[in-house]
Amino acid sequence: VYHEWIGKKGANNVASLIVKTLRQLNILREDSVGGELNIIFDNCSGQNKNNTVLKLAAWLMAMNYFKEVNFAFLIVGHTKNAADCLFNSLKTEYRLQNLFTFQDLSEALNRSQMVTVHPASPEDFLDYDKVMNYLYRPLAGIIKKNHIFSCTDDGLQMRLRQSNLEEHNELVFNLRKRSTSKLSRAEIAEISNSLLVTITNDGLNPYKAVEMFTKYRPNIPVQFQSDELYAEPSAEVWAKVKKEKIDRSEFRAQLKADKYVNDKERIESLAVYDGEGKA
């Protein structure tokens, strides 16, 4: 768990947390090769079903961590899984309390006997997108319709299928770029270490920062008002939000004016005139 000051929730964050989890579970070992790794995802394209996360399967193979890696995506409308039960377990405590800080939330979540909370830090989130783009070709036009993505043989190729039914044929995609196809594990590790830099995080959204300070801070107990969530925004943030509000107001006014002109022209074009020019 983490909040927006720590990290966002895009493909880099998902890939980073997958690797972090595998390392914490001692599944990624430098001295031995694991067996078969299977990870189940939902179909959220912004976080899970995208080039960066999918190429991670090939990267795990290229690093010689496993003999086979399978990323499977549940079909839309059938995405209920064991993880949903764990989310419900988290809710049993926090939904009954008033929580004013992120620390309060973490403690409430951690009271469940079914779930253990692992905090994330900014250093956990690395730029896997840069590594994957360097090593692999894009999976253009073949991501959305497929649901099973498998890698073997050093991650040079990826096998894609809509499902494991006989009616759905397997597509084999040459994933590794020609310039990187003959790199050894040691070379890939060296490249990864050089490219896997910590992602720069811009912190809390400026609008949220202003809203937390102006609307929420006055209504919470005094002892929590000094928490970083309710800190007064910097002058730069205030100016940015003010300018954005002015720009939005001008944009809406222009849209309204354009709509009026368009409606007027449309009505006039439909009007019927007599011989004297009267409607």
Side-chain angles (χ1 to χ4, degrees):
V1 295
Y2 58 96
H3 55 67
E4 283 189 35
W5 268 301
I6 302 297
K8 302 303 182 184
K9 52 182 181 180
N12 273 324
N13 303 89
V14 172
S16 297
L17 291 180
I18 288 174
V19 175
K20 175 183 172 70
T21 301
L22 294 175
R23 291 194 189 283
Q24 284 187 335
L25 295 173
N26 198 29
I27 293 176
L28 296 189
R29 301 178 184 178
E30 305 299 330
D31 58 347
S32 62
V33 182
E36 181 179 333
L37 174 68
N38 298 291
I39 301 182
I40 311 299
F41 300 85
D42 65 23
N43 280 276
C44 177
S45 58
Q47 293 176 267
N48 303 330
K49 203 173 186 184
N50 54 65
N51 269 277
T52 299
V53 174
L54 291 174
K55 292 174 184 177
L56 183 66
W59 182 82
L60 291 170
M61 287 298 307
M63 291 292 290
N64 205 31
Y65 287 131
F66 301 99
K67 296 178 181 177
E68 182 175 355
V69 176
N70 302 298
F71 286 0
F73 293 80
L74 299 173
I75 297 173
V76 176
H78 301 273
T79 58
K80 296 298 181 183
N81 56 70
D84 293 314
C85 298
L86 300 180
F87 282 115
N88 287 332
S89 297
L90 292 175
K91 295 178 183 178
T92 57
E93 288 289 337
Y94 85 73
R95 68 185 182 88
L96 302 175
Q97 304 177 47
N98 290 322
L99 304 173
F100 302 104
T101 68
F102 186 76
Q103 181 63 31
D104 290 343
L105 175 62
S106 296
E107 292 174 358
L109 297 177
N110 214 21
R111 291 194 189 104
S112 171
Q113 296 181 353
M114 302 295 294
V115 181
T116 301
V117 169
H118 296 274
S121 64
E123 295 75 23
D124 291 329
F125 299 113
L126 306 176
D127 195 349
Y128 279 91
D129 188 50
K130 185 178 292 185
V131 176
M132 303 310 163
N133 286 338
Y134 181 87
L135 294 174
Y136 303 108
R137 298 167 55 209
L139 292 154
I142 56 176
I143 292 180
K144 191 172 181 179
K145 64 181 180 181
N146 291 296
H147 291 82
I148 302 174
F149 301 80
S150 304
C151 281
T152 55
D153 303 325
D154 297 330
L156 295 174
Q157 295 180 329
M158 177 172 278
R159 306 192 313 274
L160 303 88
R161 294 189 68 174
Q162 287 184 252
S163 75
N164 57 2
L165 298 176
E166 293 183 1
E167 62 196 69
H168 290 145
N169 296 324
E170 184 176 84
L171 170 67
V172 178
F173 182 79
N174 293 319
L175 193 59
R176 191 88 69 85
K177 290 181 178 179
R178 183 177 299 177
S179 59
T180 62
S181 61
K182 296 184 179 180
L183 292 177
S184 65
R185 180 194 185 281
E187 290 172 324
I188 291 176
E190 183 178 354
I191 291 170
S192 299
N193 289 334
S194 64
L195 296 180
L196 281 176
V197 297
T198 304
I199 301 172
T200 302
N201 183 25
D202 296 331
L204 192 64
N205 178 287
Y207 284 95
K208 286 185 180 179
V210 170
E211 190 175 58
M212 294 297 286
F213 179 74
T214 59
K215 295 184 178 180
Y216 287 87
R217 187 175 183 273
N219 297 298
I220 65 171
V222 176
Q223 64 267 34
F224 300 111
Q225 291 183 0
S226 60
D227 189 85
E228 63 176 352
L229 285 174
Y230 313 103
E232 183 175 3
S234 65
E236 182 182 358
V237 170
W238 280 113
K240 184 176 182 179
V241 171
K242 183 178 180 180
K243 182 180 183 302
E244 184 67 22
K245 285 183 177 180
I246 293 173
D247 291 343
R248 288 185 179 184
S249 179
E250 293 176 350
F251 178 72
R252 285 194 294 268
Q254 186 61 47
L255 278 181
K256 188 175 181 180
D258 292 342
K259 182 180 179 181
Y260 172 77
V261 171
N262 293 335
D263 287 347
K264 182 180 178 181
E265 292 177 350
R266 182 175 58 83
I267 292 172
E268 289 178 348
S269 69
L270 296 174
V272 178
Y273 294 90
D274 58 19
E276 298 179 356
K278 296 181 180 180

